[in-house]
Every structure is written in structure tokens, then in C-alpha cells.
């Protein structure tokens, strides 16, 4: 057995070093400990997460579990709401939108406090693991300090020299035994002395059992206070020295090597967290550290190493990451490799923050430092959770879309109740926000809460997994979800008497408002452009799915007939822009952070320079007026828009704005953006959607496949043209794409698929029909 373990370690080491010989390591690194949480290094295995700050004398490691939520299921439907629907629609049709909005606020929002209430719940931090180190000389300063995150193997390290002793700490959240692992070593015997403790801001208790430190508690469910339960177990393994336990900490003395294991779990969905955490901890401790690390690297690498990207190296590529970011923003063409690093960082974050069978990344991804996370750390359905998943398919992490599909499947039944309560309609709907408890009701304010787009938008994400994977088993699984959403829109649409089009009513264009002819303002309207685009996209996808699965011919015919009276993908206003609403209202905020009426440009393919050139030009004018600023997720969305419009330099200009250094952590709704020193995106505050949206934007600049062909380098900026390569990206149709280029021209490319098939490819401006390899 020992020989097999040693062989596994040796083979993993050789494979890892072979891969590193082919491309430079992908590292974030720094010359000082993290001063604030936004400088810490994120680690995660899709369930557990941790962010160590690398402190020399006192280290704080924030812990997370993706399933740790307060709150509980609630029924906040107003089952009398549908009775007000005719009056609301009549007022909107008469142009009395502000009166309609008042009525919506009175009778057509959720009951109770909605997302502001305790029962709604929050994604919360698990707590803080603290290590106090004793070096004997509290005045000594460390030398040669180095803190690093390796994206290639999902390891963080901290090294320094103090009092003549070299110390090294290695951290990873194991993809092997599903525990957090922290290894601390000294190059002189007996030089490790520390105290290990754990705490959180509320609802916790700490105790020791033998030499195991435990933290446990129960969160508030908003009713009787007996919500989700959790347990964290900490044990150690040492070389030399001793370990003793007092009432609430572990004390290590005179060790040469210390390994700390953290096992944590919750009772989410009935998980046997007490038994499971004990078993995981015991299995990890029995395994040699070297084997644990090697298996972790190998398992993580199965996902991460599917894609490699080389955009070239610049003068800043060997600098610490914080200095590299500073120089990139000041002179951004000198470091093309930073964009490649940022894209791979996005892939790293996806792999680290979600896992098949668990939850999709939330607004925080996996990493929350607070009890009261910004915007509850929940799932916003008017762009944010969708953006979290936009890069997953194209960057070859397809299976990590499945947790979102499972979350959406869980919204169908509560969404049926909401559809009946508010619209007296068939099918299901989710509005603008949701959580792990299946909330589908309108939000508590008409200004944003009655958006009809949420469920239809989610269905686009679900469809894209099929478009890329061509997995018919998956399509059969999600078809009822897609059909149920189409049933709702088909049933709930009303005819606009002016145009004859079938539209939603009431709804909003997320979260924007407009001026009425009388000078008053409103948010509520009928047929905002995003709704029209989503309905068109959804109906088309359900029609296609019903044909492929050979089901529901009658319902298919209903949707085909309805499509002839759905508004076009965009209406061009007098100003030459795409209208945001059915009427050509003047927006109250021309630079609003949401650009919802360009949904048909991305993520959908209803507007393209090839198929709808007039609408594409109108989209450009829309973006010019909207401007280039906003929170990071807004800027990332604009990167994607300009990439779809095939303006690589404009997309790159916006990417530079995302990568501007910031330290702001205030709640921001306007101009802002940027990244923190650890490259997590800032709204501000931290919101992970900016990372994922920018990652998708970088991929979209290099590869597109939405317009009936695979387009190589459709929006490559001047900064990347010199030379580069990418391997392993995915195109719709389950094609894997690799290519290299020089002076902006593709030199070599391969397109493979499970079975050879004919596919159109645009190479250096020419569309050709080729046969894929396998």
C-alpha cells in the first residue's frame, strides 16, 4: 500500500512539472501579509472555503461552507394579488404608469418584509480560525516574506525567515478528503509554538473533546430561531513537540512540523453533518500529508488543466500581483499576460466555489467574511447569478453548470404557486431574487420587484448547457422546466392594443425608471424590451427541444403561432438606440448600471452584426450613451457586448477598467468597479459576478459560436495580436477549439468533437466548412 502511495505521489509530481514546463505557472503573489480581507487568498473545493491572511504573529483564516444559510422556507405569496391584475394592466395601457405602480406596491408585491426579513436568510461566514504564533522574540521582523496562490494546483503558501529560522505554511481545501489542510514547517527542530482557536460573530459555542477543537451552533430561521445547524472540527498532527487542549483552544509547543485539519458541515437538506465531519477528519489524518496534497492537485487538475491560454508576457509579469495591477492600469499594453491570468483566475474560482450536487456560486461565490453579507449573499435573477455561469461552458467546465440547473428545478413548484397567485397563470415564474429556500414571489418594491425576466433568463442558462454539451439526457431532464416557463409567458402575456404585440404586464426593466409625458417617473410598464427578447428566445428553445425530443406538438404549434406576434428583438428609437421599453420613454438615468435591453445581444443571439446589422449599430449607440463606468459586473457586461459587436479594442478598454486597483468596500450602485489586490472583483463591495463576467468576456474576444458558425479571434484587441495561443475552449455543438495566432492572424487551429462532423468555421475573415476531428 505504501509503495502504491509513493508511486502515485511520484507520478503526480512528474505530470505536474511536465505541465509547468509547457507554460509558466499561474500565480498571484505578494511581499506582505494581507492587511484586509480583500487581500487574502481564496481557496475552496466547491463546498468548503478558506481565506488565509498570512499574518506572521497572528493569522486569521476565514472559513466558509457553501451550504451555510440562515432563514427558512416561507410562503410570502399574496393569493389575492391576481384580483388587482386587470386594474393594474388597464392603468398601464392608459399611460397611468405611476398610478399602476402605486397599486402594484399596494397589492402586487410579496407579503411581509420580503428579502429584508430574517426568514429570507443570508449566506453567512462559517467563522474565523485564528493562530497565534510564539517565536520567543516579539520584536523580530520577518525577512524574505512571500505569500502566493498557485492557480495551477490550488495551493496557497506563505514563507519567511524569522530569528534565523525559515518558516513555510501551505494551505489547501482538499479535493481529496474534503477538509481544509494547513501545513506549517520550520527548518530548525522544535521552533513551532502556537495557539489555535476558532470563533464567529454570533450563534456559536466552542469546546474541546480530547485533542479535537469544535465550534458548533444553530442559525436563526426567522420563526422559532432553530434554523440550520453546523459543526466545525479541528485536529492536528505534529512532528516533534506536544499538543495540549484547554477549554477552547489547542496549544502546540516545540514542534518542527504541524498539520491542521479542519472538517466542517451543516444539516442542509438533511446532511448527516456530525457523522460525516468526523469520518472525513479521521480519513484525512490517517493519510500521509504528501499523498493528501498530491491527490488534491491531481483531482483539481482534472478540471483546471482542460484549458491553457498564452497572450504573451510583458515587463510587469514578474512583479508582485498588486504592483502588476497598478502598472497594468497605468500602461495597460505592457502586460498582456495579466488578462490570461485573470481568465484562469475566473476558472479557478468556478472550480473552487461550486460542485455537482451542491449549490451554485452566490453573489459571494463561496467566500464571505461576514454574518450580514452584502445583499444577503443570495441569488439575484436580473443578471448576477446568470453572469456567474456565463463562462462555464466556453471555458470547458460544463458540468459545473449543473448546480444551477438543480437550483432552478427547485424553483418550479413554488413558482407555480406564485404564477397562480399573481397572474392566475399556468406554468411557473421566479421574479428578481431567490435563495436556497425557493423564494419566487415578487420583491417588496414595485420599482424592482415585479421584473418578469428572472425565470425566463434562468432558462437561457439551462439551454446553453445543452447547446454546448448536446446532452440529450440532460435536455429531457430540463425540458419540463423550460416548458413550464414558456407556459407561464404564453398564458400571462397580454395584447398591446397599439401595436398588436403580445407583451408582459406589469413588469420592469431591471432596475431602471423613465419619465412619463406628464414629467412624473415610473418603473412599472408593459413589455420592457428584455422581457420581449427573453420570451422570443425561450419560445424558440422550447420549440427546438420539443422537436428534438419528439414531444408536445400541440404546444409547439401554440408557441410558433404566438411568436409571430412577439415584439422584434429590438425597436430602434428616434435617437438611433434600442428602446428599453415598449414606449420610447426617456430614461431617468442614461448611464444606469443595468443594460437590460441589450439582452438579445448577449447572452442571447437575437442581435448580431451578421444577421441584424441595423440592430447591432443601434446597440453600439446604446452603449455609447450608457458609458463605460459602473460596478464591475456592469463593466464586465459591456466587455461582452463589445466583444459580440466585434470591437476588440473597446472590449479591452473596458477590461482595463475592471482590472483597475481599488480598496473601496462601500455599497455602490453607480460608478466604481475594479479589483482588490487579491483580484476579486469590486462592485464595490466584493461581488464575484465581475470576475466571472470578465472571464466570459475574455473568452468571447477569442472565440464565438452563437451565430451559426465558430468564429476564431472575432474581437481580438491590438494588445494581444502579436502572438498567442489557447487550447481547450468549447464551442456550441460540443466542439473543442485550440488555436495559435501571429499578428492577429490564425496560424494553426484544431476543432474536435466526440464524433467527426461538418461545421462552419470563420478563420481570418473567411467562413469555410470543415470536418471536426475526434
Amino acid at each position: 500500500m505504501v509503495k502504491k502511495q509513493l508511486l502515485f505521489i511520484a507520478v503526480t509530481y512528474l505530470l505536474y512539472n511536465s505541465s509547468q514546463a509547457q507554460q509558466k505557472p499561474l500565480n498571484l503573489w505578494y511581499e506582505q501579509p494581507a492587511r484586509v480581507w480583500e487581500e487574502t487568498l481564496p481557496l475552496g473545493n466547491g463546498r468548503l472555503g478558506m481565506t488565509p491572511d498570512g499574518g506572521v504573529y497572528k493569522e486569521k483564516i476565514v472559513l466558509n461552507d457553501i451550504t451555510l444559510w440562515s432563514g427558512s422556507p416561507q410562503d410570502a405569496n399574496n393569493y389575492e394579488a391576481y384580483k388587482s391584475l386587470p386594474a393594474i394592466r388597464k392603468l398601464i395601457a392608459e399611460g397611468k404608469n405611476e398610478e399602476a405602480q402605486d397599486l402594484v406596491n399596494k397589492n402586487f408585491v410579496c407579503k411581509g418584509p420580503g428579502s429584508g426579513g430574517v426568514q429570507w436568510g443570508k449566506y453567512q461566514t462559517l467563522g474565523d480560525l485564528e493562530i497565534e504564533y510564539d517565536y520567543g522574540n516579539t520584536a523580530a521582523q520577518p525577512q524574505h516574506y512571500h505569500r502566493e496562490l498557485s492557480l495551477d494546483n490550488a495551493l496557497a503558501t506563505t514563507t519567511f525567515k524569522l530569528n534565523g529560522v525559515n518558516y513555510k505554511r501551505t494551505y489547501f481545501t482538499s479535493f481529496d478528503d474534503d477538509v481544509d489542510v494547513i501545513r506549517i514547517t520550520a527548518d530548525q527542530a522544535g521552533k513551532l509554538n502556537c495557539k489555535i482557536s476558532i470563533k464567529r460573530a454570533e450563534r456559536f459555542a466552542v469546546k474541546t473533546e480530547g485533542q479535537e477543537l469544535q465550534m458548533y451552533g444553530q442559525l436563526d430561521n426567522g420563526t422559532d430561531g432553530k434554523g440550520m445547524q453546523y459543526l466545525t472540527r479541528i485536529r492536528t498532527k505534529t512532528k516533534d513537540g506536544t499538543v495540549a487542549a484547554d477549554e477552547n483552544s489547542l496549544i502546540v509547543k516545540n514542534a518542527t512540523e504541524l498539520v491542521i485539519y479542519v472538517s466542517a458541515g451543516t444539516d442542509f437538506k438533511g446532511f448527516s453533518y456530525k457523522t460525516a465531519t468526523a469520518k472525513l477528519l479521521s480519513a484525512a489524518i490517517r493519510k500521509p500529508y504528501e499523498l493528501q496534497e498530491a491527490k488534491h492537485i491531481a483531482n483539481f487538475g482534472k478540471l483546471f488543466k482542460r484549458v491553457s491560454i498564452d497572450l504573451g508576457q510583458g515587463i510587469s509579469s514578474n512583479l508582485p500581483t498588486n504592483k502588476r495591477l497598478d502598472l497594468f492600469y497605468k500602461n495597460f499594453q505592457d502586460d498582456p499576460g495579466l488578462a490570461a491570468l485573470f481568465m484562469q483566475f475566473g476558472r479557478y474560482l468556478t472550480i473552487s466555489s461550486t460542485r455537482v450536487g451542491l449549490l451554485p456560486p452566490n453573489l459571494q461565490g463561496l467566500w464571505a467574511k461576514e454574518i450580514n453579507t452584502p445583499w444577503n449573499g443570495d441569488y439575484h435573477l436580473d443578471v448576477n447569478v446568470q453572469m456567474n455561469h456565463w463562462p462555464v461552458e466556453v471555458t470547458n467546465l460544463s458540468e459545473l453548470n449543473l448546480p444551477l440547473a438543480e437550483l432552478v428545478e427547485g424553483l418550479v413548484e413554488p413558482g407555480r404557486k406564485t404564477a397562480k397567485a399573481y397572474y392566475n397563470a399556468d406554468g411557473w415564474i421566479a421574479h428578481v431574487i431567490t435563495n436556497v429556500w425557493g423564494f419566487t414571489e415578487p420583491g417588496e418594491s414595485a420599482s424592482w420587484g415585479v421584473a418578469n425576466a428572472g425565470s425566463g433568463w434562468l432558462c437561457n442558462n439551462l439551454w446553453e448547457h445543452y447547446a454546448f454539451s448536446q446532452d440529450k439526457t440532460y435536455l429531457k431532464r430540463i425540458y419540463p422546466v423550460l416548458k413550464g416557463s414558456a407556459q407561464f409567458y404564453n398564458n400571462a402575456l397580454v395584447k398591446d392594443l397599439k401595436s398588436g404585440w403580445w407583451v408582459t404586464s406589469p413588469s420592469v426593466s431591471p432596475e431602471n425608471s423613465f419619465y412619463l409625458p406628464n414629467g412624473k417617473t415610473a418603473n412599472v410598464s408593459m413589455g420592457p424590451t428584455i422581457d420581449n427578447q427573453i420570451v422570443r428566445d425561450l419560445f424558440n428553445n422550447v420549440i427546438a427541444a420539443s422537436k428534438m425530443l419528439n414531444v408536445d406538438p400541440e404546444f409547439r404549434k401554440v408557441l410558433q403561432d404566438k411568436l409571430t406576434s412577439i415584439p422584434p428583438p429590438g425597436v430602434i428609437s428616434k435617437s438611433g438606440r434600442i428602446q428599453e421599453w415598449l414606449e420610447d420613454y426617456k430614461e431617468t438615468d442614461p448611464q444606469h448600471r443595468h443594460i437590460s435591453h441589450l439582452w438579445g445581444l448577449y447572452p442571447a443571439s437575437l442581435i448580431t452584426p451578421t444577421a441584424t446589422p441595423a440592430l447591432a449599430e443601434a446597440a453600439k449607440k446604446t452603449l455609447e450613451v450608457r458609458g463605460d463606468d459602473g460596478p464591475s459586473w456592469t463593466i464586465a457586461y459591456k466587455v461582452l457586448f463589445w466583444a459580440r459587436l466585434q470591437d476588440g479594442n473597446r472590449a479591452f478598454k473596458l477590461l482595463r477598467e475592471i482590472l483597475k486597483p481599488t480598496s473601496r468596500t462601500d455599497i455602490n450602485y453607480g460608478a466604481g468597479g475594479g479589483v482588490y489586490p487579491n483580484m476579486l472583483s469590486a462592485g464595490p463591495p466584493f461581488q464575484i459576478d465581475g470576475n466571472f463576467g470578465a472571464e466570459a468576456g475574455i473568452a468571447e474576444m477569442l472565440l464565438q459560436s452563437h451565430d451559426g458558425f465558430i468564429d476564431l479571434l472575432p474581437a481580438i484587441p491590438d494588445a494581444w495580436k502579436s502572438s498567442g495561443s489557447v487550447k481547450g475552449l468549447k464551442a456550441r455543438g460540443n466542439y473543442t477549439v485550440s488555436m495559435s495566432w501571429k499578428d492577429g492572424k490564425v496560424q494553426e487551429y484544431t476543432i474536435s468533437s466526440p464524433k467527426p462532423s461538418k461545421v462552419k468555421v470563420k478563420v481570418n475573415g473567411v467562413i469555410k466548412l470543415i470536418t471536426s476531428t475526434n
Side-chain angles (χ1 to χ4, degrees):
M1 182 64 182
V2 174
K3 287 183 178 179
K4 287 183 178 180
Q5 292 176 345
L6 292 173
L7 178 62
F8 179 88
I9 294 169
V11 170
T12 302
Y13 179 82
L14 289 172
L15 289 173
Y16 173 70
N17 282 278
S18 174
S19 70
Q20 296 307 295
Q22 297 171 23
Q23 65 178 48
K24 291 187 176 181
L26 295 164
N27 297 335
L28 282 63
W29 66 278
Y30 309 86
E31 296 175 309
Q32 67 284 319
R35 295 162 295 184
V36 293
W37 182 81
E38 288 77 13
E39 295 180 3
T40 60
L41 299 175
L43 296 157
N45 66 2
R47 186 178 74 88
L48 300 178
M50 62 176 174
T51 47
D53 65 11
V56 174
Y57 283 93
K58 185 172 183 178
E59 181 167 35
K60 182 165 80 171
I61 303 170
V62 178
L63 303 176
N64 294 108
D65 182 315
I66 193 69
T67 66
L68 187 64
W69 280 72
S70 62
S72 59
Q74 61 175 310
D75 187 343
N77 286 306
N78 177 0
Y79 288 99
E80 302 294 312
Y82 72 94
K83 295 179 180 178
S84 297
L85 187 59
I88 292 169
R89 286 172 168 170
K90 183 174 184 292
L91 288 169
I92 294 173
E94 293 172 351
K96 300 175 181 177
N97 298 64
E98 76 279 13
E99 294 177 35
Q101 187 155 323
D102 289 341
L103 191 54
V104 169
N105 275 321
K106 183 179 179 182
N107 295 334
F108 210 80
V109 295
C110 62
K111 292 171 64 177
S115 64
V118 178
Q119 195 171 359
W120 172 268
K122 297 178 174 67
Y123 176 62
Q124 297 189 359
T125 182
L126 178 60
D128 299 337
L129 177 68
E130 294 186 343
I131 309 173
E132 296 181 54
Y133 298 95
D134 182 1
Y135 303 99
N137 181 358
T138 57
Q141 294 298 311
Q143 298 174 304
H144 312 302
Y145 185 95
H146 183 92
R147 187 167 58 95
E148 179 175 298
L149 172 63
S150 168
L151 305 185
D152 302 281
N153 55 17
L155 292 176
T157 55
T158 297
T159 59
F160 56 88
K161 188 173 186 177
L162 190 65
N163 293 332
V165 181
N166 291 302
Y167 294 93
K168 181 177 182 179
R169 305 173 194 161
T170 304
Y171 321 76
F172 61 93
T173 301
S174 179
F175 278 76
D176 181 26
D177 280 326
D178 200 12
V179 295
D180 297 324
V181 182
I182 304 152
R183 185 196 197 194
I184 307 168
T185 62
D187 70 348
Q188 294 181 26
K191 293 295 184 178
L192 287 177
N193 296 276
C194 64
K195 178 181 178 181
I196 304 166
S197 59
I198 188 169
K199 65 179 183 180
R200 72 192 304 267
E202 65 173 32
R203 292 181 171 264
F204 78 103
V206 175
K207 67 177 181 179
T208 55
E209 286 190 358
Q211 290 192 346
E212 180 174 295
L213 176 64
Q214 298 179 2
M215 179 178 71
Y216 54 96
Q218 188 168 30
L219 304 189
D220 190 354
N221 61 359
T223 56
D224 60 4
K226 297 179 180 179
M228 187 178 293
Q229 299 180 76
Y230 67 90
L231 173 63
T232 304
R233 302 176 185 268
I234 302 167
R235 290 176 62 184
T236 61
K237 189 163 60 176
T238 61
K239 177 181 178 182
D240 306 327
T242 61
V243 179
D246 63 17
E247 187 177 346
N248 54 17
S249 63
L250 300 176
I251 300 165
V252 180
K253 291 186 177 181
N254 303 321
T256 306
E257 177 182 304
L258 166 67
V259 185
I260 303 170
Y261 300 90
V262 183
S263 181
T266 76
D267 65 350
F268 180 64
K269 292 188 175 180
F271 182 61
S272 301
Y273 67 109
K274 292 180 181 179
T275 303
T277 52
K279 287 182 177 179
L280 290 169
L281 192 57
S282 295
I285 286 179
R286 285 196 303 268
K287 194 170 295 182
Y289 170 84
E290 290 78 8
L291 180 63
Q292 178 77 240
E293 182 184 297
K295 285 195 169 186
H296 160 75
I297 292 171
N299 291 337
F300 171 79
K302 290 174 185 176
L303 293 167
F304 188 77
K305 295 188 186 304
R306 292 175 185 173
V307 169
S308 64
I309 178 172
D310 182 3
L311 299 177
Q313 298 297 320
I315 60 173
S316 305
S317 58
N318 293 320
L319 292 175
T321 303
N322 54 319
K323 294 180 181 178
R324 191 175 178 182
L325 287 165
D326 287 340
L327 284 178
F328 178 82
Y329 190 65
K330 293 172 183 174
N331 191 358
F332 59 90
Q333 296 200 32
D334 288 337
D335 193 0
L338 186 62
L341 179 69
F342 197 51
M343 187 181 114
Q344 289 285 43
F345 184 55
R347 295 183 69 247
Y348 166 87
L349 293 174
T350 293
I351 298 167
S352 300
S353 63
T354 191
R355 180 193 299 180
V356 175
L358 283 179
L359 290 166
N362 55 59
L363 283 172
Q364 305 279 137
L366 168 65
W367 299 277
K369 64 182 170 71
E370 299 151 321
I371 299 295
N372 297 312
T373 46
W375 296 287
N376 301 315
D378 58 28
Y379 300 105
H380 281 42
L381 308 183
D382 56 357
V383 68
N384 310 94
V385 73
Q386 291 92 344
M387 182 177 285
N388 282 0
H389 293 80
W390 285 344
V392 171
E393 299 292 341
V394 68
T395 64
N396 209 338
L397 297 171
S398 185
E399 62 266 55
L400 298 185
N401 245 331
L402 296 177
L404 178 66
E406 187 173 338
L407 182 79
V408 177
E409 286 171 319
L411 299 179
V412 172
E413 285 308 312
R416 290 188 197 280
K417 294 180 180 179
T418 299
K420 283 294 183 185
Y422 290 84
Y423 306 91
N424 198 24
D426 296 331
W428 70 279
I429 184 175
H431 287 83
V432 70
I433 48 175
T434 194
N435 53 23
V436 298
W437 311 117
F439 190 92
T440 56
E441 294 88 323
E444 55 265 29
S445 171
S447 63
W448 55 271
V450 293
N452 277 200
S455 44
W457 194 334
L458 287 169
C459 287
N460 172 266
N461 282 74
L462 268 56
W463 174 261
E464 284 294 277
H465 179 68
Y466 171 74
F468 276 88
S469 70
Q470 299 294 291
D471 183 347
K472 273 202 172 182
T473 300
Y474 166 81
L475 184 61
K476 288 178 183 178
R477 169 186 159 187
I478 65 157
Y479 177 73
V481 179
L482 304 182
K483 179 185 175 182
S485 183
Q487 285 174 318
F488 167 77
Y489 289 111
N490 176 62
N491 209 197
L493 296 178
V494 297
K495 181 170 282 192
D496 171 41
L497 297 180
K498 292 181 182 178
S499 63
W501 287 331
W502 289 95
V503 295
T504 56
S505 180
S507 190
V508 301
S509 183
E511 299 158 1
N512 208 357
S513 58
F514 52 86
Y515 289 105
L516 291 163
N518 62 10
K520 295 183 178 180
T521 65
N523 300 81
V524 171
S525 71
M526 67 166 63
T529 297
I530 183 175
D531 288 13
N532 305 330
Q533 294 169 338
I534 283 175
V535 170
R536 177 173 291 276
D537 178 77
L538 175 64
F539 283 10
N540 279 326
N541 292 339
V542 173
I543 290 167
S546 73
K547 289 179 180 177
M548 282 181 276
L549 299 175
N550 195 27
V551 296
D552 292 329
E554 293 181 1
F555 185 58
R556 183 194 317 156
K557 180 68 165 57
V558 169
L559 297 185
Q560 288 170 329
D561 291 343
K562 204 64 159 283
L563 265 175
T564 62
S565 298
I566 299 297
V571 175
I572 300 175
S573 68
K574 295 176 183 177
S575 66
R577 294 178 284 152
I578 291 178
Q579 285 182 197
E580 189 163 352
W581 297 274
L582 197 62
E583 299 286 339
D584 193 8
Y585 295 124
K586 179 183 178 183
E587 63 268 63
T588 57
D589 180 6
Q591 283 78 49
H592 195 272
R593 61 192 176 278
H594 282 270
I595 319 103
S596 303
H597 46 315
L598 296 191
W599 189 92
L601 176 63
Y602 190 98
S605 55
L606 301 172
I607 300 172
T608 73
T610 303
T612 60
L615 287 176
E617 285 301 314
K620 290 181 182 179
K621 291 181 181 179
T622 302
L623 289 168
E624 292 288 359
V625 172
R626 226 44 164 206
D628 289 347
D629 215 330
S632 277
W633 64 263
T634 301
I635 301 171
Y637 208 165
K638 292 171 183 176
V639 171
L640 285 155
F641 288 142
W642 284 110
R644 281 281 173 97
L645 293 168
Q646 301 186 347
D647 189 335
N649 286 334
R650 186 63 175 269
F652 186 77
K653 176 179 179 289
L654 287 154
L655 181 62
R656 173 178 174 256
E657 289 302 314
I658 290 175
L659 285 167
K660 67 184 175 187
T662 188
S663 59
R664 285 179 55 187
T665 57
D666 56 300
I667 298 290
N668 172 61
Y669 291 96
V675 293
Y676 297 115
N678 61 6
M679 287 181 50
L680 291 176
S681 74
F686 163 53
Q687 265 186 240
I688 205 166
D689 44 17
N691 286 100
F692 293 137
E695 175 199 353
I698 294 167
E700 202 75 13
M701 293 158 78
L702 299 173
L703 176 70
Q704 295 178 16
S705 61
H706 61 283
D707 208 10
F709 53 88
I710 297 174
D711 197 348
L712 307 183
L713 304 183
I716 187 169
D718 292 341
W720 302 346
K721 283 184 176 179
S722 178
S723 65
S725 65
V726 64
K727 297 179 182 178
L729 294 181
K730 299 289 286 191
R732 290 166 182 84
N734 199 13
Y735 295 102
T736 304
V737 180
S738 301
M739 59 181 157
S740 63
W741 63 88
K742 186 175 179 61
D743 298 326
K745 298 292 184 182
V746 175
Q747 302 296 301
E748 296 179 342
Y749 69 94
T750 59
I751 296 178
S752 61
S753 57
K755 294 181 180 179
S757 61
K758 299 288 186 182
V759 60
K760 290 181 179 180
V761 184
K762 188 174 184 180
V763 186
N764 299 328
V766 177
I767 296 179
K768 55 181 73 175
L769 186 67
I770 69 161
T771 301
S772 63
T773 61
N774 63 359

